[in-house]
Amino acid sequence: MATQQYDSGSGNWLCPTGVTSVQVEVWGGGGGGSDIGDHDCGGGGGGGGYSIRTAVAVTAGNNYAYVVGGSSGTSSFTGNSSVVTSASGGGTATGSPGGAGGAKISGDSGGTGGTGGNGYREYPDYYGGAGGAGYNGGDGGGGGYYNDDDMSNQPPGEAIAPGGGGGGSGYYGGATAGATGRVLLTWTVSAGTTSTSSTSTSSSTSTTAAGTTSTSSSISTSSTSSSTSTSRS
């Protein structure tokens, strides 16, 4: 079994030798929290959606396009016959209401990201809305907080990838952006077969049947994985 993970940007995945199908998982980016200025509280961004398709047809030696959504962005992977697996990003909060969660593509398994929390006031306290969690993904950032009596201030927390929504402002402190999405590919490497995949922008991890794991992360990288069969009597 081998995997290739993309956490930002876009590019192409080179299908290794002997591989005819790949499992595709995609997470949309989380929506940003709302910063609506002083004396009010912003809502949290919605979490990114998640789609999984267990068998996408591919052809060895061909390149296949992927896109990893940024904040509120859609992530996708395109296989043979233009079969697209995608998930939309969470909604960016506007004002005090939280943003809606992103959705999976119709026909795929998966689900919708969490809705961002609403910002609200209970004087002297001001609460920003928490970001929604990415479906099967990262947590949203916590909402900001401000107390008008002692002027204590807590800025909103950072969203977690993949797909967590950003926290909303609590009177002061601004808001945080949604976390990026992700594209994760998994395929089976036949025993005794050596496979090589390359990508323009990636973070990759390959695990062989022998238990060896290799990881690389850079621009214009390549990864090689090999698999051997073992029999026990």
Side-chain angles (χ1 to χ4, degrees):
M1 192 76 71
T3 62
Q4 182 86 45
Q5 180 173 304
Y6 301 99
D7 290 315
S8 64
S10 61
N12 293 291
W13 172 72
L14 177 62
C15 181
T17 301
V19 176
T20 58
S21 70
V22 61
Q23 176 178 282
V24 179
E25 297 174 83
V26 293
W27 289 260
S34 173
D35 180 7
I36 53 179
D38 297 350
H39 304 286
D40 215 334
C41 308
Y50 167 76
S51 287
I52 178 172
R53 191 172 297 196
T54 57
V56 174
V58 289
T59 302
N62 286 359
N63 284 301
Y64 295 93
Y66 70 87
V67 176
V68 177
S71 183
S72 295
T74 295
S75 297
S76 64
F77 177 85
T78 304
N80 283 348
S81 302
S82 298
V83 175
V84 177
T85 300
S86 68
S88 60
T92 298
T94 303
S96 294
K104 69 181 183 69
I105 191 172
S106 177
D108 284 355
S109 299
T112 299
T115 301
N118 297 331
Y120 64 97
R121 291 175 289 177
E122 291 181 350
Y123 190 82
D125 299 311
Y126 294 75
Y127 299 91
Y135 187 92
N136 197 34
D139 291 334
Y145 168 77
Y146 177 77
N147 182 281
D148 208 30
D149 285 341
D150 61 16
M151 297 185 179
S152 59
N153 178 54
Q154 176 65 46
E158 298 293 331
I160 305 300
S169 64
Y171 190 95
Y172 290 129
T176 53
T180 61
R182 178 173 294 166
V183 173
L184 178 62
L185 310 176
T186 305
W187 66 93
T188 299
V189 180
S190 301
T193 299
T194 298
S195 63
T196 301
S197 64
S198 62
T199 178
S200 57
T201 305
S202 72
S203 171
S204 64
T205 302
S206 299
T207 304
T208 68
T212 302
T213 301
S214 62
T215 303
S216 63
S217 179
S218 64
I219 297 175
S220 296
T221 66
S222 63
S223 64
T224 302
S225 64
S226 62
S227 175
T228 58
S229 59
T230 302
S231 61
R232 297 180 180 178
S233 58

